[in-house]
Amino acid sequence: MIFTEFLKEKREALGISQNKFAKMINITQSYFNSIERGEVKNPPSEEVLLRIADCLNLNPEEKEQMLYLAAIERTPKIIIDKIEKLKNEVKSNIKKTAKEATEISDNAIPLFERISAGLGAFTDNDIEDYIMLPGLNNTNQNLFAVNVVGDSMEPTIKDGSIIICKKTLDIKSGEIGAFFIDEQAFVKRLKITKNYIALVSDNPNYSPIYIGPGENFNVVGKVIKVLSDI
């Protein structure tokens, strides 16, 4: 919609004649007629446009739209064409970026902020970044990565490493996984015996964490790869 169509449509919706409306906004009828026909050589000032908006009882959104249309009406065609060209270029770039994001999404592994390899810490549910690794396909979105904080799993997993985990509940005794006890997250080696279940550190300076009856214990995933010194 252009400014002249907007103006005429809103005026007629109120049932106001051109002559009466011109008087309401304190301009001559001939000048108003030329404005509404788009034949005016001297575009209405901002003061006149605001009086038009008030007399048309426009809400804030409609007022903003009218002022935008009026500004476009006063803008030389060469500038309008340039703006349209830039808008089309932006749309094209957005589509290209979206396409590229879709193409890499199959192998993109979400990286979470942290998991404890020491005394336990809360994990950040927000994804910090995405990483891609040769040979790892994340089409089924069953892989995730986490920054490891702490030295309890050294020398197997160094402090500051990134672990790649596969979402699974099937972790055998002796395998390393990511776990939750209540709301604390750990990366440990699972140990299952006839008498107890425990999360064990590879660093002998840390005592095992025994899973007691009734504790809220959950398996998050199994560690399938460790990235160190990156």
Side-chain angles (χ1 to χ4, degrees), residues 180-229:
F180 270 105
I181 302 176
D182 293 326
E183 292 184 336
Q184 290 187 304
F186 301 86
V187 53
K188 300 289 183 186
R189 194 177 297 277
L190 181 65
K191 185 173 183 179
I192 303 174
T193 72
K194 292 181 179 180
N195 300 317
Y196 63 85
I197 297 175
L199 299 182
V200 181
S201 301
D202 283 6
N203 186 336
N205 293 324
Y206 290 81
S207 301
I209 301 172
Y210 294 97
I211 312 302
E215 282 194 277
N216 187 13
F217 174 68
N218 293 289
V219 177
V220 182
K222 180 166 66 176
V223 175
I224 63 171
K225 193 174 184 63
V226 179
L227 307 177
S228 300
D229 302 323

Side-chain angles (χ1 to χ4, degrees), residues 21-33:
F21 196 82
K23 291 179 180 178
M24 290 171 64
I25 60 176
N26 196 29
I27 62 175
T28 65
Q29 182 180 353
S30 60
Y31 181 44
F32 178 76
N33 291 349

Side-chain angles (χ1 to χ4, degrees), residues 124-185:
D124 189 336
N125 290 324
D126 294 329
I127 294 173
E128 182 181 67
D129 203 349
Y130 286 88
I131 61 177
M132 295 179 64
L133 297 173
L136 287 182
N137 191 306
N138 200 22
T139 303
N140 296 323
Q141 301 298 303
N142 62 345
L143 300 180
F144 64 94
V146 188
N147 290 308
V148 176
V149 179
D151 64 352
S152 75
M153 289 303 292
E154 291 188 357
T156 310
I157 303 176
K158 297 179 181 179
D159 181 16
S161 298
I162 293 176
I163 55 172
I164 308 298
C165 297
K166 180 179 180 180
K167 296 177 185 176
T168 180
L169 300 179
D170 183 21
I171 298 185
K172 297 178 176 62
S173 183
E175 293 181 330
I176 300 175
F179 309 91
F180 270 105
I181 302 176
D182 293 326
E183 292 184 336
Q184 290 187 304

